[in-house]
Amino acid sequence: MLEISRRITTEVLVVGSGLSGIKATKELASMNRDVLMVTKTKLASGSSFYPLKASLGTQVTKNEDDRRVFLEDIEDLSRGMHNQDLAEVYVNDIPERVKEYKDIGVQAKKLEGERKACFANHARDIYLLSDWDQIRENVKAIFNQYDNLDVMQKTVVVSLIKKENQIAGAILLDDHNEFVLIECQAVILASGGFGSIYKHNLNPADVDGSGHMLALEAGASLVNMEFIQFIPGITTPRYKTLFGEHTLMYCRDIIDNHGESLLKPHLPEDVSIKECLEIRSTHGPFTHSLESKYFDIAMMENIIKTKDENGFTLLYEDELYDNEEEFYKVYLDWLKEKNVHLTEQEVKIAPFAHASNGGVFIDENGRTGIAGLYAIGELSSNIEGANRLGGNSTGACMVFGKRSALDCDQYLQSANAYKISEAEGDEHLARLSKSIDSGSSADNKLSANKMIDQIKEIMWYHGNVVRSDERLEEALKQISELETGFMFTDLLDHKQSRKLAIKGRNFIKMARILLRSMQERKESRGAHYREDYPAEDSSYDKRLFISKKNETASFTFLDQ
């Protein structure tokens, strides 16, 4: 029988310890609120602190006139899928929030001059964040100054508890795999995206969509889930290394294993290989919105056809290493530290899952529509739409980390603090164990790790850059078959396998939501490409909202 081992009472539970979670926690602690931060791994983790590259950027509004231009940049690339209120808040707030990086231990260095961020039509100020190890030490030192702040590492939130339709608590699995009951008045979810649900991804393993499931099951909505960023990553000579797309300015071609041009058969007559590569050098993620789309489509179609995932060879000009611009030098020097040299070695790339443009639907203060529940960072469907401008994700962590903390402080002044009885906690655990249509040891026995690996494989082949109704339908069928063979209840009963059980459950539910979202949008737009519906269709100028009624997810296109 599942039992609660202990109880903790706090005012606010913050879930996740990336940039947004750290910002919100620091703000609340400074306002003398009792805060408990929980993180699946260690403090200062998730995609914010994943050492993919030498630095991350933040794009900043440069002056009053740029506010309108910046909004137009966001609107242009969003293809109608962005939230205007959130975009306006970002453009207005980010110049002040970038000054507050130092308050959470982050050194933000302004690049010399102005630069166009990924997808941006106009150049503006870019701040670079780097030295993750030092930042992590800085965060620890800052957090240690607060007696009203606790951190639980290697801890997973498995369920949120509501009373009178407001947040009242949560159930955790701590570092000893014991169930812990939390009594709190508010929860700020900052647990990141879901990239690790894909076989080839540029995320740490803990970025698995768990926060999306918590929010959805608590009554919040998800939106824009079909718009996932796929970015070329290096497969050889060093697997899972972020590829700097700006280097494609010096690339002659990309070739397959037979030495043949991968691009040539895919390009229309009016687009040359050089033109395609030059456009592709201006943005990291795949987009259907630009003529560079053939670059990524060609790679993925070849992989689907051949089942060869080793990647494709880039042919570079030697002049690449003559470029003294800081943006190039920082990246190329970092590659050298990883023993990667783009012109002296054979370098292969393939599409990797990276970040989500969609997520939990929020307002300009990070509120989800459930009293006391906030969502921030990559977990939320933030300022972007079908495409996301580079340098906005880190900035949004600061903007909405601050706004959610300020709003939460106001909310706590009048929110009820509910007590949760032992019986209520046990009842919640019992519901959790019945929350998935899984088998038992007598059925198709399937280990959790094997099932998770199969889901990653299914998602990578069927929910990647190139999608079709036939493959999405097949993928959904395979997910259902895996679910019936997954021994969720048995795994939950055994202490050492509880976190694996929760991860497997979340993978099944998240995979189904993503595949259904891709299936519902019968067009191509931004990061979403359907080979059976290759054009953007104005009848889909609406956002796809996902909500949960009882145990069934509903998918609805809405104008809001």
Side-chain angles (χ1 to χ4, degrees):
M1 182 181 167
L2 305 180
E3 292 181 340
I4 303 289
S5 66
R6 61 192 167 109
R7 158 193 316 258
I8 298 172
T9 301
T10 186
E11 288 184 295
V12 188
L13 173 67
V14 177
V15 185
S17 67
L19 280 175
S20 60
I22 290 168
K23 177 62 175 169
T25 298
K26 164 70 166 59
E27 292 289 336
L28 284 161
S30 298
M31 291 184 275
N32 295 315
R33 293 297 181 184
D34 288 331
V35 188
L36 172 63
M37 171 188 271
V38 300
T39 176
K40 289 199 204 88
T41 54
K42 59 187 176 182
L43 178 60
S45 60
S47 293
S48 300
F49 292 86
Y50 191 53
L52 265 180
K53 56 186 292 193
S55 59
L56 288 173
T58 298
Q59 186 177 195
V60 178
T61 316
K62 60 187 181 185
N63 53 39
E64 193 64 38
D65 292 340
D66 188 44
R67 291 173 193 261
R68 177 186 54 79
V69 178
F70 200 166
L71 277 173
E72 287 172 358
D73 276 2
I74 292 169
E75 190 172 347
D76 179 42
L77 265 295
S78 83
R79 311 305 305 160
M81 298 295 109
H82 73 298
N83 184 316
Q84 184 71 9
D85 291 342
L86 300 190
E88 288 177 6
V89 160
Y90 181 88
V91 167
N92 288 332
D93 288 8
I94 190 56
E96 288 304 308
R97 294 297 82 79
V98 79
K99 298 173 187 174
E100 296 172 1
Y101 270 125
K102 62 180 183 297
D103 298 338
I104 58 169
V106 177
Q107 291 301 317
K109 180 193 175 190
K110 184 179 175 300
L111 275 177
E112 290 180 18
E114 295 170 358
R115 182 176 178 85
K116 283 186 182 180
C118 167
F119 285 136
N121 297 323
H122 299 89
R124 52 185 53 91
D125 293 340
I126 304 286
Y127 286 77
L128 288 187
L129 323 180
S130 57
D131 199 346
W132 315 134
D133 291 338
Q134 184 58 55
I135 294 171
R136 189 172 287 115
E137 291 307 309
N138 296 346
V139 171
K140 286 178 189 172
I142 291 165
F143 276 20
N144 283 336
Q145 296 171 12
Y146 295 95
D147 294 332
N148 54 323
L149 165 57
D150 288 311
V151 178
M152 290 176 66
Q153 301 184 109
K154 297 181 180 176
T155 298
V156 173
V157 182
V158 298
S159 187
L160 301 180
I161 300 173
K162 290 192 302 183
K163 283 197 170 188
E164 303 297 326
N165 206 35
Q166 74 177 55
I167 290 295
I171 294 176
L172 320 179
L173 266 174
D174 67 11
D175 55 345
H176 298 295
N177 292 320
E178 300 274 9
F179 288 108
V180 180
L181 179 63
I182 304 295
E183 291 175 327
C184 61
Q185 292 148 272
V187 171
I188 297 181
L189 295 173
S191 53
F194 48 77
S196 72
I197 201 170
Y198 284 88
K199 181 179 183 181
H200 301 293
N201 65 80
L202 296 173
N203 300 100
D206 60 320
V207 178
D208 59 7
S210 57
H212 298 76
M213 291 302 105
L214 291 171
L216 190 64
E217 287 166 3
S221 296
L222 307 178
V223 65
N224 283 350
M225 295 297 283
E226 63 272 37
F227 300 117
I228 304 163
Q229 290 186 334
F230 288 89
I231 295 185
I234 294 173
T235 57
T236 299
R238 188 184 174 99
Y239 175 72
K240 202 166 175 171
T241 302
L242 187 67
F243 172 68
E245 73 282 348
H246 49 295
T247 63
L248 289 174
M249 281 295 290
Y250 295 88
C251 189
R252 298 192 305 278
D253 203 353
I254 180 170
I255 58 174
D256 64 19
N257 291 337
H258 304 292
E260 301 291 328
S261 172
L262 194 68
L263 274 174
K264 206 167 186 180
H266 286 81
L267 291 176
E269 285 183 12
D270 59 340
V271 180
S272 69
I273 290 175
K274 182 176 173 58
E275 285 171 322
C276 180
L277 291 171
E278 283 186 0
I279 298 168
R280 192 63 186 80
S281 75
T282 66
H283 60 95
F286 163 77
T287 180
H288 170 267
S289 309
L290 300 171
E291 293 292 81
S292 50
K293 61 189 174 186
Y294 302 106
F295 182 85
D296 305 77
I297 292 169
M299 283 196 287
M300 201 63 221
E301 283 191 353
N302 187 288
I303 290 167
I304 291 169
K305 184 174 153 188
T306 65
K307 296 292 189 286
D308 184 344
E309 303 168 23
N310 292 321
F312 307 94
T313 303
L314 295 162
L315 303 179
Y316 277 107
E317 304 286 359
D318 290 335
E319 287 79 14
L320 168 63
Y321 281 83
D322 294 336
N323 191 317
E324 293 295 314
E325 189 183 341
E326 184 179 17
F327 200 69
Y328 276 85
K329 278 190 67 62
V330 167
Y331 176 66
L332 295 175
D333 288 347
W334 175 76
L335 280 185
K336 284 179 186 175
E337 291 172 16
K338 306 283 183 190
N339 296 315
V340 177
H341 196 289
L342 297 181
T343 60
E344 292 178 0
Q345 294 169 287
E346 182 181 41
V347 175
K348 291 187 175 186
I349 61 170
F352 281 66
H354 187 225
S356 168
N357 291 351
V360 182
F361 180 66
I362 61 168
D363 71 4
E364 60 270 26
N365 291 309
R367 293 179 294 208
T368 63
I370 305 301
L373 181 61
Y374 299 80
I376 54 176
E378 193 187 334
L379 167 72
S380 66
S381 180
N382 215 280
I383 62 179
E384 315 299 351
N387 298 303
R388 176 165 74 193
L389 272 69
N392 284 5
S393 56
T394 51
C397 290
M398 297 296 285
V399 168
F400 295 97
K402 175 102 168 189
R403 294 181 75 92
S404 65
L406 291 171
D407 192 88
C408 185
D409 178 59
Q410 288 291 310
Y411 171 78
L412 291 171
Q413 291 174 26
S414 58
N416 291 322
Y418 288 103
K419 289 291 176 191
I420 302 170
S421 69
E422 197 172 306
E424 287 172 319
D426 291 340
E427 183 189 339
H428 222 74
L429 281 179
R431 278 205 302 274
L432 176 70
S433 67
K434 295 173 184 168
S435 65
I436 193 161
D437 185 21
S438 64
S440 68
S441 53
D443 296 317
N444 313 318
K445 194 169 182 179
L446 187 66
S447 78
N449 281 319
K450 188 173 181 186
M451 186 203 71
I452 286 169
D453 285 344
Q454 287 189 24
I455 291 174
K456 287 170 174 263
E457 180 94 0
I458 291 165
M459 291 303 298
W460 201 73
Y461 272 102
H462 300 284
N464 201 299
V465 169
V466 178
R467 304 162 186 176
S468 70
D469 192 64
E470 183 183 354
R471 282 203 300 277
L472 292 168
E473 193 60 48
E474 174 60 27
L476 283 163
K477 182 183 164 194
Q478 290 179 31
I479 297 296
S480 292
E481 288 171 359
L482 290 175
E483 183 179 14
T484 60
F486 176 46
M487 300 177 294
F488 178 64
T489 308
D490 290 4
L491 289 164
L492 207 58
D493 284 340
H494 293 89
K495 191 189 283 190
Q496 72 274 14
S497 58
R498 283 173 178 166
K499 283 178 184 161
L500 195 57
I502 297 298
K503 182 168 185 170
R505 169 188 178 271
N506 288 341
F507 262 49
I508 288 170
K509 289 177 175 287
M510 178 56 74
R512 191 172 277 134
I513 282 168
L514 294 175
L515 294 166
R516 281 285 311 278
S517 300
M518 296 168 192
Q519 200 173 37
E520 291 289 328
R521 185 168 289 282
K522 293 175 171 45
E523 64 154 0
S524 295
R525 184 184 299 249
H528 173 71
Y529 171 67
R530 289 279 300 262
E531 63 180 352
D532 46 354
Y533 297 97
E536 190 173 305
D537 182 348
S538 60
S539 65
Y540 284 92
D541 286 352
K542 298 177 180 180
R543 298 201 290 167
L544 180 59
F545 283 77
I546 304 157
S547 56
K548 198 169 182 190
K549 301 283 191 304
N550 300 317
E551 283 303 306
T552 308
S554 67
F555 294 74
T556 312
F557 285 100
L558 298 171
D559 287 319
Q560 69 190 76

